[in-house]
């Protein structure tokens, strides 16, 4: 896992002869690359050509001695140069195929497989990769920059136009180190951020876009062109229940086992839920098969001081995770640790600032972001790679909205019914009137609905659940993956997400709801394959979201931070201070999760404004 950045530009005149091979351009690419140092703490490098510059920061995971980037096809006067982030899990098979086609390899890295795959198949290399990745290829022969992002968007990739071309980076902060780009936010950006729709393409930042998942971008003298190379499609499902369970078992088992390769210590996140328990059990079994019966996988969970005593359920959480995680760890046989965080650590301004800086955004989930960041920091003391159960709810239908008559009937994005405006930070009335977020949501919903593929003659109930799953996989999942990537990479930790395997997503997307919920509960198919891998208590446990602290001292501290944030004029230009007063004045035990999240976002807004100092063009 790494950070990538750079640009390609085709300006007329002297640029054609000398291009960016100047001290000024060298300084720019070095500065852009330096912004990503936390993503790649082990090494960094840059490459400069006549019309392109590539930068790379490396977190060494495979082939520690090789795999240095940017990587060229040959040392002198290269035809192709690559800057790559992520992991390609089928690189051994591709390497063998490329060798049979005459390619020779200098390293064991998956990076070189991507490089030589491009030399062999051009843009078509994207169709052959299995994994999580974002990469840039400069092709000197064609005078072309190619940007590619993985199918489900696990790895981020942003870009913006510059004079004569485009710049790119793993994070927006890398773009803002380019002299032609600056952190500017307009009404469109705030609309994208505060609508909580998690679209792909436009971002909070004016002029900055994401390369959408499953897309590639070409930059050359003709301009910038975007092309989709993968998307979810509707296909008939012909397997019965036994065949479906076995296929899901095969796909999950295969994707977990192929994601364990690393030349550095690897561990698993184990919350005590079904999703992470299945992943951890399969990984632990593979580790014992490879290293012997005494081998033990490390596993980690997060908890909060006095959580057992202060826990109260809410719309997203039904119970305390820690006892289930500990039981799952004993059942599987992991070396399990629980990282316990107190209110002081969660309220620490430097921790909260680090989270906002990592996100490049004021939109987060407060203590749940801070705790994840601190958990990753503790894990990084012992491991460089962690497995996560992210995306199982999207793939197997685990969220409440898949089972709610209200969500099925509502003509809006389902998560808005769960969190809705009770958790959205209230905007200043004048700004709210300008943004017209309700109208924006309605238009975005119609657009998202039109993008869902269907089978002819599909039953209306099946059709609706297919729509909710498409929204979940293409929008809701996006913000979870961004959160996990930014906060893990800010600690120099690579997190792998086996449930984001595109073949698993394709198969589950086309599995009828009657099979997905055949036992009358959420995630029936995952529960089927979890039998024998997880203790009975975990198999029967209801869906529980990532934990939030319920400690009253944290709530009181959050209220203090929010009051201080609202003392700032810049914050009051965006947030509605009057609407936030009830949350500021409430007793800690009376503050609902939604009201508390409003305060979290006010605090994060103040930190974002202070650090990024964006130009607000409203």
């Amino acid at each position: 896992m790494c950070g990538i950045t750079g640009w390609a530009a085709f300006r007329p005149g002297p640029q054609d002869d000398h291009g960016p091979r100047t001290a000024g351009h060298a300084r720019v690419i070095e500065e852009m690359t330096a912004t990503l140092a936390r993503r790649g703490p082990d090494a960094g490098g840059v490459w400069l050509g006549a019309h392109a510059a590539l930068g790379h920061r490396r977190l060494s995971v495979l082939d520690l001695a090789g795999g240095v980037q940017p990587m060229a096809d040959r040392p002198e006067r290269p035809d192709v140069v690559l800057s790559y982030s992520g992991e390609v899990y089928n690189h051994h098979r591709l390497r063998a195929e490329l060798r049979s086609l005459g390619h020779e390899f200098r390293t064991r890295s998956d990076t070189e497989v991507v490089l030589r795959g491009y030399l062999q198949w051009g843009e078509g290399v994207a169709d052959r990769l299995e994994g999580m990745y974002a990469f840039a290829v400069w092709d000197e022969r064609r005078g072309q920059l190619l940007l590619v992002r993985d199918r489900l968007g696990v790895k981020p990739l942003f870009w913006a136009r510059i004079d004569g071309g485009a710049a790119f980076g793993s994070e927006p902060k890398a773009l803002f180190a380019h002299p032609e780009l600056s952190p500017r936010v307009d009404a469109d950006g705030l609309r994208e951020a505060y609508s909580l729709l998690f679209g792909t393409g436009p971002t909070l930042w004016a002029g900055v876009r994401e390369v959408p998942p499953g897309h590639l971008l070409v930059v050359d003298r003709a301009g910038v062109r975007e092309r989709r190379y993968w998307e979810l499609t509707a296909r008939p499902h012909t397997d019965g229940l036994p065949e479906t369970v076995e296929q899901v078992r095969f796909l999950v088992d295969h994707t977990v086992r192929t994601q364990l390769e690393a030349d550095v210590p690897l561990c698993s996140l184990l919350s005590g839920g079904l999703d992470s328990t299945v992943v951890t059990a399969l990984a632990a079994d593979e580790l014992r098969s490879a290293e012997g019966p005494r081998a033990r996988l490390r596993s980690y969970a997060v908890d909060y001081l006095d959580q057992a005593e202060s826990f109260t359920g809410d719309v997203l959480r039904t119970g305390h995770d820690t006892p289930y995680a500990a039981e799952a760890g004993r059942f599987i046989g992991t070396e399990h640790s629980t990282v316990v965080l107190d209110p002081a650590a969660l309220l620490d301004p430097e921790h909260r600032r680090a989270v906002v800086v990592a996100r490049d955004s004021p939109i987060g989930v407060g203590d749940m972001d801070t705790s994840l960041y601190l958990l990753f920091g503790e894990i990084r003391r012992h491991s460089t790679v962690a497995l996560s159960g992210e995306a199982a709810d999207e793939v197997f239908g685990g969220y409440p909205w898949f089972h709610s008559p209200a969500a099925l009937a509502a003509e809006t994005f389902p998560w808005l019914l769960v969190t809705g405006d009770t958790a959205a930070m209230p905007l200043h009335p004048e700004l709210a009137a300008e943004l017209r977020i309700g109208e924006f949501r309605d238009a975005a919903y119609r657009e998202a609905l039109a993008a869902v593929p269907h089978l002819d003659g599909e039953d209306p109930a099946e059709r609706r659940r297919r729509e909710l799953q498409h929204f979940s996989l293409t929008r809701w999942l996006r913000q979870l993956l961004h959160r996990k990537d930014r906060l893990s990479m800010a600690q120099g930790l690579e997190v792998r997400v086996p449930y984001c395997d595109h073949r698993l997503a394709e198969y589950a997307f086309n599995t009828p709801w009657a099979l997905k919920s055949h036992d009358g509960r959420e995630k029936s198919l995952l529960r089927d394959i979890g039998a024998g891998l997880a203790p009975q208590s975990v198999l029967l446990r209801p869906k529980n979201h990532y934990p939030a602290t319920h400690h009253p001292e944290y709530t009181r501290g959050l209220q203090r931070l929010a009051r201080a944030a609202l003392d700032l004029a810049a914050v009051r230009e965006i947030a509605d201070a009057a609407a936030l007063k009830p949350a500021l004045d409430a007793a800690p035990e009376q503050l609902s999760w939604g009201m508390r999240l409003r305060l979290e976002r006010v605090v994060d807004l103040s930190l974002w404004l202070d650090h990024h100092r964006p130009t607000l063009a409203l």
Side-chain angles (χ1 to χ4, degrees):
M1 200 73 72
C2 307
I4 66 172
T5 190
W7 72 82
F10 304 91
R11 303 181 184 95
Q15 173 78 10
D16 288 337
D17 296 324
H18 304 290
R21 293 175 182 162
T22 67
H25 286 101
R27 183 174 63 253
V28 170
I29 190 60
E30 292 280 4
E31 290 173 353
M32 293 174 72
T33 304
T35 66
L36 303 174
R38 293 189 71 98
R39 295 186 69 91
D42 296 327
V46 301
W47 176 88
L48 287 168
H51 300 288
L54 301 182
H56 188 268
R57 290 295 314 187
R58 188 183 185 199
L59 175 64
S60 301
V61 172
L62 289 175
D63 190 5
L64 306 188
V68 175
Q69 297 190 55
M71 182 178 285
D73 63 327
R74 56 174 179 261
E76 301 297 328
R77 302 182 64 84
D79 286 333
V80 172
V81 185
L82 169 70
S83 187
Y84 159 81
S85 169
E87 302 292 343
V88 170
Y89 303 121
N90 64 333
H91 72 97
H92 291 295
R93 187 169 73 247
L94 292 175
R95 182 188 300 268
E97 182 178 0
L98 288 164
R99 276 182 170 148
S100 73
L101 294 169
H103 290 268
E104 297 181 356
F105 287 81
R106 302 188 303 267
T107 73
R108 295 188 298 108
S109 68
D110 58 335
T111 304
E112 190 174 5
V113 170
V114 175
L115 175 70
R116 304 210 174 274
Y118 174 81
L119 287 167
Q120 180 66 38
W121 299 302
E123 293 178 8
V125 68
D127 299 310
R128 296 170 177 264
L129 303 179
E130 298 170 8
M132 56 178 190
Y133 47 82
F135 61 86
V137 178
W138 170 252
D139 191 324
E140 189 74 20
R141 303 163 303 179
R142 295 182 173 90
Q144 173 184 288
L145 175 70
L146 173 68
L147 304 179
V148 180
R149 191 176 181 196
D150 67 67
R151 293 170 180 84
L152 268 72
V154 181
K155 291 291 98 189
L157 185 54
F158 297 86
W159 71 279
R161 293 182 184 274
I162 58 174
D163 184 20
F168 67 91
S170 295
E171 299 177 8
K173 59 174 64 71
L175 299 177
F176 301 143
H178 191 283
E180 295 181 36
L181 301 170
S182 62
R184 180 174 171 272
V185 177
D186 57 18
D188 289 336
L190 291 181
R191 206 175 282 118
E192 288 286 343
Y194 285 103
S195 64
L196 305 179
L197 300 187
F198 317 116
T200 300
T203 69
L204 165 70
W205 302 102
V208 175
R209 298 180 63 86
E210 284 189 76
V211 176
H215 282 66
L216 54 82
L217 201 77
V218 174
V219 183
D220 58 20
R221 290 183 182 277
V224 179
R225 302 180 302 285
E226 187 177 273
R227 179 175 73 81
R228 185 195 304 271
Y229 71 89
W230 179 86
E231 63 181 327
L232 286 168
T233 57
R235 304 170 188 170
H237 186 86
T238 58
D239 293 341
L241 178 59
E243 295 82 9
T244 299
V245 171
E246 285 311 304
Q247 181 64 7
V248 169
R249 189 190 314 278
F250 167 77
L251 289 169
V252 173
D253 183 82
H254 174 77
T255 190
V256 171
R257 294 179 192 276
T258 57
Q259 295 191 21
L260 297 179
E261 184 180 9
D263 294 336
V264 292
L266 178 145
C267 69
S268 187
L269 305 179
L270 179 60
S271 69
L274 178 62
D275 315 344
S276 63
T277 301
V278 169
V279 167
T280 302
L282 292 171
D285 180 68
E286 179 67 17
L287 182 67
R288 285 189 289 265
S289 296
E291 299 183 10
R294 298 175 65 88
R296 297 179 70 197
L297 178 71
R298 284 183 179 268
S299 64
Y300 291 88
V302 69
D303 199 5
Y304 304 103
L305 184 68
D306 296 335
Q307 184 80 335
E309 294 77 17
S310 59
F311 178 84
T312 54
D314 56 39
V315 67
L316 296 176
R317 296 163 197 87
T318 58
H320 183 206
D321 279 342
T322 295
Y324 294 95
E327 183 181 1
R330 288 192 297 271
F331 183 89
I332 298 167
T334 68
E335 185 178 337
H336 186 68
S337 301
T338 301
V339 177
V340 180
L341 302 172
D342 60 24
L346 297 170
L347 292 165
D348 187 315
E350 290 310 308
H351 293 159
R352 297 191 69 111
R353 180 180 296 275
V355 167
V356 172
V357 171
R359 284 198 318 250
D360 284 326
S361 169
I363 305 299
V365 284
D367 66 299
M368 292 181 283
D369 281 352
T370 309
S371 67
L372 190 62
Y373 171 78
L374 295 173
L375 170 65
F376 287 152
E378 183 63 27
I379 291 173
R380 187 61 176 89
R381 295 174 56 197
H382 308 284
S383 300
T384 308
V385 177
L387 299 178
S388 167
E390 205 77 81
D393 291 301
E394 291 80 1
V395 169
F396 294 110
Y399 288 119
W401 52 74
F402 289 109
H403 312 269
S404 163
L408 291 168
E411 295 184 1
T412 190
F413 294 101
W415 51 88
L416 296 178
L417 302 178
V418 178
T419 57
D421 289 329
T422 61
M425 187 189 74
L427 300 174
H428 188 284
E430 292 182 8
L431 179 60
E434 180 182 357
L435 297 186
R436 296 185 294 183
I437 282 179
E439 295 177 27
F440 179 76
R441 284 174 171 170
D442 290 343
Y445 177 73
R446 291 192 296 271
E447 180 182 337
L449 204 61
V452 180
H454 290 286
L455 295 174
D456 292 339
E458 201 163 41
D459 173 80
E462 190 70 32
R463 180 184 181 90
R464 181 56 178 161
R465 285 200 169 88
R466 187 187 288 277
E467 290 167 353
L468 295 190
Q469 187 171 21
H470 197 271
F471 299 159
S472 300
L473 284 165
T474 60
R475 284 179 175 265
W476 180 257
L477 179 60
R478 171 181 176 266
Q479 51 97 20
L480 298 178
L481 293 176
H482 265 306
R483 172 177 178 255
K484 192 142 283 183
D485 172 85
R486 298 301 189 83
L487 300 182
S488 63
M489 295 307 294
Q491 297 283 20
L493 178 72
E494 173 177 297
V495 175
R496 299 177 181 177
V497 281
Y499 294 119
C500 282
D501 180 82
H502 72 279
R503 294 156 302 184
L504 177 62
E506 290 170 342
Y507 188 79
F509 181 65
N510 287 295
T511 300
W513 184 252
L515 298 182
K516 284 196 186 91
S517 59
H518 69 81
D519 64 357
R521 295 193 56 189
E522 78 282 355
K523 294 186 287 195
S524 305
L525 296 173
L526 188 59
R527 189 171 294 104
D528 288 335
I529 71 169
L533 298 175
Q536 197 70 9
S537 62
V538 171
L539 287 174
L540 298 177
R541 187 185 182 199
K543 164 68 185 169
N544 209 51
H545 286 255
Y546 183 91
T549 182
H550 295 264
H551 201 292
E553 186 55 40
Y554 177 80
T555 305
R556 283 190 285 268
L558 175 64
Q559 289 171 314
R560 289 193 297 271
L561 292 176
R563 288 190 192 97
L566 287 167
D567 285 341
L568 303 174
V571 172
R572 294 195 305 274
E573 290 178 5
I574 296 175
D576 185 348
L580 288 161
K581 194 172 188 306
L584 291 169
D585 295 341
E589 64 274 10
Q590 296 175 335
L591 204 63
S592 70
W593 175 78
M595 293 174 69
R596 200 179 83 174
L597 191 52
R598 287 181 165 200
L599 299 184
E600 300 275 16
R601 287 175 170 158
V602 170
V603 174
D604 286 354
L605 172 63
S606 68
L607 293 170
W608 174 74
L609 289 168
D610 180 65
H611 177 81
H612 289 84
R613 301 192 180 278
T615 300
L616 298 177
L618 304 174

